[in-house]
Amino acid sequence: MSNRENDNKLSPLKQAFLRIEELEESLRDARRAQREPIAIVGIGCRFPGGVGGPDDYWKFLQNGTDAISEVPPDRWNIDEYFDPDMETPGKMNTRWAGFLPSVADFDPEFFGIAPREARSMDPQQRLLLEVSWEALENAGISPTSLEGSATGVYVGICTNEWGLKRIKNEDEASIDGYFASGLALSIASGRISYVLGAQGPSVTLDSACSSSLVAVHLACRSLRSGETSLAIAGGVNVLLSPEITVALSKSGMMAPDGRCKTFDSRADGYVRGEGCGMVVLKRLSDALADGDRVHAVVRGSAVNQDGPSSGLTVPNGPAQEAVIQAALNDAGLEASQVGYIEAHGTGTSLGDPIEIQAINAVLCRGRSADNRLQVGSVKTNFGHLESAAGIAGLIKVALALKHREVPPQLHLREPNPYIRWDRMPIDVVTSSRDWQAADAALRVGGVSSFGFSGTNAHVMLEEAPAPETRVASEERPEHLFAISAASPDALVQLAARYRDKAASLEDADLADLCHTAAVGHGQRGERLVVRARRIAELREALGVFCEGGTSSRLITNSLKNPDAPRVAFLFSGQGAQYANMARTLYETQPVFRQALEQVDAALEDHLGESIVAIIFNDEAALNETGNTQPALFAVEIALAELWSSWGIRPDAVIGHSVGEFAAAVVAGAMRLEDGARLIASRAQLMQALPDSGGMAAVIASLDTVEAAIADWSGQLSIAAINGPETIVISGTANALDDVVEKLQGSGIETQRLRVSHAFHSPLMDPMLEQFEQTAANVTYSEPRCSMISNLTGAPVRTKDLNPTYWRRHVREPVRFADGMTQLAARNVDIFVEIGPHTTLLGLGSGSIEGGIWSPSLRRDHDDWEQILTTAALLYVHGAP
C-alpha cells in the first residue's frame, strides 16, 4: 500500500499536519539550493609575465613578479603618444602597462574558423576561445562533449580597442562580412557557446572593472537555480589602441611610473593591463559526485550599485560595505572566518582609504587581535586588467586557498597615512605567509571588484573540502594514457607537460591521470597512446617520445581524415572458445563482470546452471555444444558492453553463424532475454543430435566445391562461404571422407575441422521444427546500426527477422564473404573481432583490402595486454 493511501486513512487534521511538513521540507530544500556552494573545477588564464595557466600563475604570485613593461611597438608607438605633461593634448602621461607576450598568435582551424574570419576577429574573442578551452581541459571536461548541454557562458568585457584600431587604420572598402561579428561584444560569449555547441545562457556583460566578477556571480546564480548544469565564467581585456589610455591620463587616473602602489603613501593612480581568465563552475554536490578536482568553492556572492555619490565614477564607501556584507550573508559565514581579502586596490589616493574602511567596517567587527585580516592586490603585479581584473583576483584567491599560502603584494614602502592602520586588525601582505584558518575551520577569502560605472561585486571563496583518501587500485593491472593535439609540435608539448606532471604523482594517481587525459581534452588528429602499469613507466615512455624515440609501450599516428572512423564488430562463431576465456577481465573490470553476470542470469533460466561457472571451472563441459554456444554468446555481449563503456560503438555488426545472435542483441534487433532463450534452445537442440558428422575447410572456388559434393546430395552441403576460395563443407562422416580424399587427390588443399557436430548440414534437420517454434516467441526491433546477415549477406531489416529466418540460419550456408563485401561498401575503416580469439580477422582481411583489423582477445595472451593494445590502435586511428 502506498504512503498516500495510508495518509488517506488518517484524520483530516493529521493529513493537514503531514502536508504542512511536506511543504516545509520543500521550502527547506529550496533554501538549501539557493545557498548551495559552487565548485571551481577548472581554471584557464593568460596574464602578463608569461602566465599561461594556473600553475604558471601560482609561481608568478609566489615569486612576487613585476610584469609591467613599456608599451611594445606592435600596440602603438609610445614615443609618439607619451608626454609627462598631462595637459598636452592627445598624449598619455605613462609609458607603461601589463602586456601579454602576444595577442596575434591564434590557430583558427583548431576552432573551425576560416582564416579570413579570424583576421576580422577581435583578439579578445580569440583569447576567450583559447582560455575557455584550456579551463575546460583543466577541469577534465572534453570541450567537444558539451554539444547540446545546458552549459552557460558568462563573459565580462568592457573595451573595444580592436574596433578603434580598425576604424582608425582602415577605410570602408576593407569592411567585409565578418566585420560586425568580429567587433561585436555580444559575440564574445556567443562564439564560445557556438564552438562548444552549448545551449545554456550565453551572456556578455559590461559593468566596467567589475565585469568579470559580476559574470561569476550570475553564473553561480544560474547554477543554483538549476538553469545550467555547468558554467564557464570570466573576463578579458586587451590593449590595442592608445585612445582610452590617453583619456584615462586626462582624467588623472594613470600612475606616471606605471605601478599600482596599492595602500602606499605614494599611491597616485593605476597602470593598465591586459589578460584573460575563465573558470569552470559546477554545483559542489555535482562536482563531488563526479569525482572532479575542486580548486576552491564559491560560498557566496553579491552585486550592487553605488547609487548617489559625490560623482559618477567616485567610489562609494557605504555601497562597498553593503556588497561585502551581502556576500557574507549569502555565504552564511561569520566575518571572523574570513582570513584574506583580495582588494580591488587600484592604488589611488581616493579609492584605497575608502575601500580599507569598508573592509574594516564589515569584516573586522569583533575580530580578535590574533586573527588579523590579511589584504593584498594583484594589480601591483601586472596592473589593472579592467574587465578581467575581478577574475584575476578570484583565481589568485582560489590558488592561495589551494596552496594554503598568501602570496605577496608589491610596491608597499610606507602605508597610506590616510588609513588608520593602528585602529584596524588588518595587515597588507608584503611577503608570502602560510594561510592559517580561523578556529580550525576551512579557510575563507574574499574578492572585491568595483566598476567605475558604480557596479560593485564581491565573492566569498572557501577552500575545497578534503579529498577522499585513495589507495592504488590493484584491479586493473595496466592503463592506457591517450592524448591528442592539432599538430606534431603541440603533441610533443602536451606530452612534455604530462611527463613533468607525472614526476610529482604516485602509482595511486595513474588511473585518474589516464582518465583525465582521455576524456578531458578535445580529440585532434595527432594522437599518442602509452600503455603503463606504473607512473614511472608512463613518464619514461613520454620522455622517450619527447626526445623523438620509440618504445614498445607507445603508439602514435597522424590522422589524414578528420571524420571519425567507421567501426564494425565481428562476432566469432563456434570454435573460438577455450577454458578461462576472458577470466582476467571478469576479475578486474566491473563493467565486463556486471555484463557477463547479467547474461549468465538470463541464460540460467534456460540452461539450469551457470554458464560463468562452466567457462571458468569445467573445460570438458565448455566444449559441449550445449554450453559452447551460450558461453560465446555471454562473453561476446560482455566484450561489446566493455567496448561501449570505453566509447567504442559499432557502426555495423556481423556474426559468423552462432555469433549472429550476440550481434543481433548488440545491434538492438532483439532483447537480451530473447537472445538468451534462442541461443540456449539452439545449443541444447544441437547437443541432442547425433555427433556422427564432420566439417572440412576447402581452399577452392565455390563452383569447384559444389561440383565435388554434387553426388552426395542429402548427406553433404555447403556450410560456409568465408571467402572467394575459402569454403566449408559439412555432413555425414563417410561422405565427407570420400569428398576430402578426392579433392586432395586433385591437389586441392583441405583441412578437417575439430567440431562436435556437422553444423549447417542435413544432419541439423531434426531440430529445425522445434527451434522455429522457440523463435516464434521472440519480438524483434529495428537494428540501431547496420546488421549484416550471414544468412543472406545483406543488411537485416525488422521484417526479415522471423521464425523462418532463424530456421534457415541453422541449416543454410554462412555467407560471411558476402557480408564482408557489404561492410566494404559501407566504407568501414576498423574491424574488431568480438570474441575470445582471432578467427574472423584472417577470413575478413582476405576479402577486403586495407582497413585496421584487431582482436579483443587472443588465446594464450594476457587479456589486458591484448584488449588495451587494440584500444590504443583504435584511438590512434581516430576512434574516440
Side-chain angles (χ1 to χ4, degrees):
M1 184 178 293
S2 68
N3 290 337
R4 183 62 65 187
E5 289 171 338
N6 280 328
D7 291 349
N8 290 337
K9 292 190 174 183
L10 301 174
S11 69
L13 183 60
K14 183 63 174 177
Q15 291 183 42
F17 279 133
L18 290 174
R19 182 57 179 155
I20 290 170
E21 288 180 355
E22 290 178 359
L23 292 172
E24 288 177 340
E25 181 60 30
S26 297
L27 182 59
R28 284 192 291 270
D29 289 344
R31 287 172 175 167
R32 280 194 292 269
Q34 289 303 311
R35 282 194 170 180
E36 176 163 13
I38 302 299
I40 300 174
V41 297
I43 296 175
C45 56
R46 305 271 186 88
F47 296 137
V51 172
D55 291 341
D56 291 343
Y57 192 22
W58 181 243
K59 292 175 184 176
F60 171 91
L61 292 168
Q62 275 188 309
N63 294 335
T65 307
D66 184 337
I68 300 302
S69 64
E70 277 202 347
V71 178
D74 64 329
R75 306 309 174 86
W76 60 84
N77 185 342
I78 187 59
D79 291 330
E80 180 182 342
Y81 284 94
F82 172 72
D83 193 306
D85 183 356
M86 289 175 51
E87 301 302 321
T88 305
K91 303 295 183 180
M92 59 186 71
N93 68 327
T94 179
R95 305 177 65 89
W96 310 93
F99 291 99
L100 298 176
S102 173
V103 294
D105 297 336
F106 182 64
D107 183 359
E109 293 182 4
F110 184 92
F111 297 101
I113 297 172
R116 182 180 175 188
E117 181 177 7
R119 287 192 292 271
S120 290
M121 284 172 57
D122 185 341
Q124 293 181 122
Q125 294 183 24
R126 304 177 192 174
L127 269 176
L128 284 165
L129 280 176
E130 292 174 337
V131 174
S132 296
W133 193 279
E134 291 162 1
L136 287 166
E137 291 193 336
N138 180 262
I141 299 171
S142 171
T144 56
S145 70
L146 297 180
E147 184 170 351
S149 67
T151 297
V153 178
Y154 299 84
V155 171
I157 186 171
C158 66
T159 62
N160 195 347
E161 296 194 7
W162 176 245
L164 291 172
K165 188 180 183 76
R166 290 202 67 182
I167 291 170
K168 181 171 63 175
N169 295 338
E170 301 178 19
D171 57 30
E172 294 179 356
S174 67
I175 295 176
D176 59 15
Y178 298 116
F179 184 85
S181 61
L183 297 183
L185 297 184
S186 60
I187 298 296
S189 60
R191 195 182 290 276
I192 298 171
S193 297
Y194 173 77
V195 168
L196 298 176
Q199 294 186 290
S202 189
V203 179
T204 301
L205 61 96
D206 175 7
S207 61
C209 314
S210 59
S211 297
S212 57
L213 212 58
V214 174
V216 171
H217 168 80
L218 294 180
C220 291
R221 289 292 191 270
S222 179
L223 285 164
R224 285 173 168 173
S225 72
E227 180 182 41
T228 54
S229 56
L230 186 77
I232 310 166
V236 67
N237 194 53
V238 173
L239 311 180
L240 296 171
S241 193
E243 287 79 9
I244 292 178
T245 306
V246 170
L248 293 172
S249 294
K250 299 308 177 196
S251 299
M253 295 183 181
M254 294 288 92
D257 64 355
R259 300 298 184 275
C260 291
K261 299 173 283 293
T262 306
F263 307 134
D264 191 86
S265 61
R266 300 167 298 132
D268 56 356
Y270 68 87
V271 58
R272 299 186 73 199
E274 64 183 12
C276 180
M278 299 294 285
V279 292
V280 180
L281 305 171
K282 267 187 179 182
R283 290 179 287 270
L284 179 60
S285 57
D286 292 341
L288 295 177
D290 293 341
D292 294 321
R293 173 185 58 179
V294 179
H295 293 282
V297 174
V298 177
R299 280 292 303 269
S301 63
V303 172
N304 74 0
Q305 167 69 21
D306 282 346
S309 61
S310 59
L312 172 64
T313 62
V314 176
N316 184 320
Q320 292 180 16
E321 291 180 28
V323 79
I324 297 171
Q325 184 65 60
L328 193 66
N329 295 343
D330 187 54
L333 295 168
E334 299 295 329
S336 61
Q337 293 176 270
V338 182
Y340 173 78
I341 290 293
E342 174 66 15
H344 184 62
T346 52
T348 61
S349 57
L350 175 64
D352 287 357
I354 291 175
E355 181 173 10
I356 283 292
Q357 180 56 47
I359 292 171
N360 179 66
V362 178
L363 298 177
C364 295
R365 285 195 303 264
R367 183 178 288 267
S368 62
D370 60 351
N371 181 28
R372 296 178 67 82
L373 181 66
Q374 314 299 313
V375 299
S377 175
V378 76
K379 291 179 179 65
T380 60
N381 296 84
F382 47 48
H384 187 353
L385 304 193
E386 297 164 352
S387 48
I391 196 66
L394 182 135
I395 295 173
K396 172 186 173 181
V397 175
L399 295 175
L401 286 166
K402 179 179 178 179
H403 294 280
R404 298 183 173 183
E405 179 183 329
V406 181
Q409 172 182 302
L410 309 185
H411 311 314
L412 184 67
R413 296 180 186 173
E414 181 182 348
N416 190 319
Y418 297 105
I419 300 173
R420 298 300 304 268
W421 299 103
D422 57 330
R423 298 183 180 181
M424 302 177 183
I426 296 176
D427 294 330
V428 180
V429 181
T430 57
S431 61
S432 292
R433 62 181 66 180
D434 292 339
W435 189 333
Q436 302 297 331
D439 304 323
L442 292 175
R443 293 158 181 79
V444 176
V447 186
S448 286
S449 194
F450 308 139
F452 86 149
S453 64
T455 301
N456 308 307
H458 192 89
V459 173
M460 287 291 176
L461 295 178
E462 184 177 74
E463 69 177 314
E468 294 182 5
T469 302
R470 295 178 297 108
V471 296
S473 171
E474 296 299 329
E475 278 203 337
R476 184 181 293 186
E478 194 165 26
H479 296 273
L480 276 190
F481 173 85
I483 55 174
S484 68
S487 69
D489 288 345
L491 185 63
V492 171
Q493 293 170 14
L494 183 59
R497 289 202 297 271
Y498 272 108
R499 175 201 60 198
D500 297 342
K501 178 70 174 176
S504 63
L505 300 179
E506 301 176 353
D507 288 339
D509 302 308
L510 179 59
D512 287 344
L513 182 69
C514 290
H515 175 79
T516 300
V519 305
H521 294 279
Q523 302 304 313
R524 297 293 169 177
E526 298 294 328
R527 299 199 169 192
L528 164 69
V529 176
V530 176
R531 285 193 357 257
R533 295 174 183 267
R534 297 285 182 266
I535 202 79
E537 292 176 347
L538 173 61
R539 188 165 186 263
E540 180 183 4
L542 291 175
V544 169
F545 172 74
C546 292
E547 296 299 323
T550 60
S551 166
S552 60
R553 291 196 168 275
L554 67 84
I555 179 173
T556 64
N557 187 46
S558 298
L559 297 179
K560 303 300 187 291
N561 184 353
D563 297 330
R566 295 183 61 80
V567 177
F569 281 0
L570 281 54
F571 291 81
S572 309
Q574 196 161 337
Q577 76 280 355
Y578 51 89
N580 287 307
M581 55 184 174
R583 180 161 199 152
T584 303
L585 292 184
Y586 179 76
E587 292 175 343
T588 62
Q589 185 60 34
V591 170
F592 183 88
R593 180 168 58 250
Q594 181 180 358
L596 191 64
E597 290 177 348
Q598 183 181 5
V599 183
D600 187 38
L603 286 167
E604 194 165 358
D605 294 339
H606 309 287
L607 300 177
E609 57 185 328
S610 167
I611 200 67
V612 170
I614 291 173
I615 293 171
F616 299 140
N617 299 303
D618 195 338
E619 184 173 3
L622 176 64
N623 288 319
E624 296 176 1
T625 292
N627 296 319
T628 300
Q629 294 182 15
L632 287 170
F633 175 80
V635 168
E636 288 171 5
I637 286 178
L639 281 171
E641 188 66 25
L642 180 58
W643 280 118
S644 177
S645 73
W646 291 349
I648 308 296
R649 299 177 180 87
D651 298 286
V653 298
I654 186 172
H656 193 285
S657 188
V658 67
E660 186 160 332
F661 291 85
V665 172
V666 170
M670 61 181 171
R671 299 182 307 123
L672 170 62
E673 294 75 13
D674 286 333
R677 182 189 305 124
L678 273 182
I679 199 68
S681 173
R682 185 184 197 269
Q684 291 172 326
L685 290 171
M686 287 185 176
Q687 180 69 40
L689 296 173
D691 57 359
S692 56
M695 302 179 74
V698 182
I699 308 303
S701 68
L702 179 59
D703 290 343
T704 299
V705 178
E706 285 180 332
I709 67 171
D711 294 338
W712 297 96
S713 176
Q715 295 188 56
L716 287 178
S717 63
I718 303 295
I721 306 166
N722 290 327
E725 294 194 346
T726 308
I727 311 298
V728 177
I729 56 177
S730 180
T732 63
N734 291 337
L736 189 66
D737 289 342
D738 185 78
V739 169
V740 166
E741 183 179 350
K742 289 181 178 179
L743 288 169
Q744 289 177 340
S746 301
I748 295 175
E749 182 181 348
T750 67
Q751 181 180 358
R752 295 297 288 263
L753 303 181
R754 296 181 60 185
V755 294
S756 61
H757 292 76
F759 304 115
H760 300 280
S761 80
L763 297 183
M764 297 289 105
D765 289 349
M767 66 160 285
L768 297 180
E769 188 68 30
Q770 189 172 348
F771 183 60
E772 185 175 6
Q773 291 175 10
T774 302
N777 296 316
V778 173
T779 301
Y780 304 101
S781 303
E782 192 68 27
R784 292 187 296 264
C785 61
S786 293
M787 176 182 166
I788 307 301
S789 167
N790 65 201
L791 174 63
T792 65
V796 172
R797 297 162 297 180
T798 305
K799 66 179 182 179
D800 298 327
L801 297 175
N802 53 50
T804 302
Y805 177 91
W806 294 114
R807 176 188 180 119
R808 293 176 56 206
H809 189 274
V810 171
R811 180 64 178 81
E812 296 181 20
V814 175
R815 298 188 176 276
F816 183 72
D818 290 342
M820 297 308 294
T821 300
Q822 285 287 335
L823 293 180
R826 281 162 172 70
N827 299 315
V828 170
D829 305 290
I830 297 176
F831 303 84
V832 181
E833 183 153 357
I834 306 298
H837 189 53
T838 170
T839 58
L840 301 184
L841 298 178
L843 297 176
S845 59
S847 301
I848 299 177
E849 292 185 6
I852 305 300
W853 305 78
S854 197
S856 299
L857 301 174
R858 281 196 294 175
R859 188 195 305 262
D860 300 326
H861 283 68
D862 178 79
D863 288 352
W864 274 111
E865 180 179 346
Q866 180 55 60
I867 200 165
L868 291 186
T869 296
T870 294
L873 191 66
L874 296 181
Y875 179 73
V876 299
H877 283 90

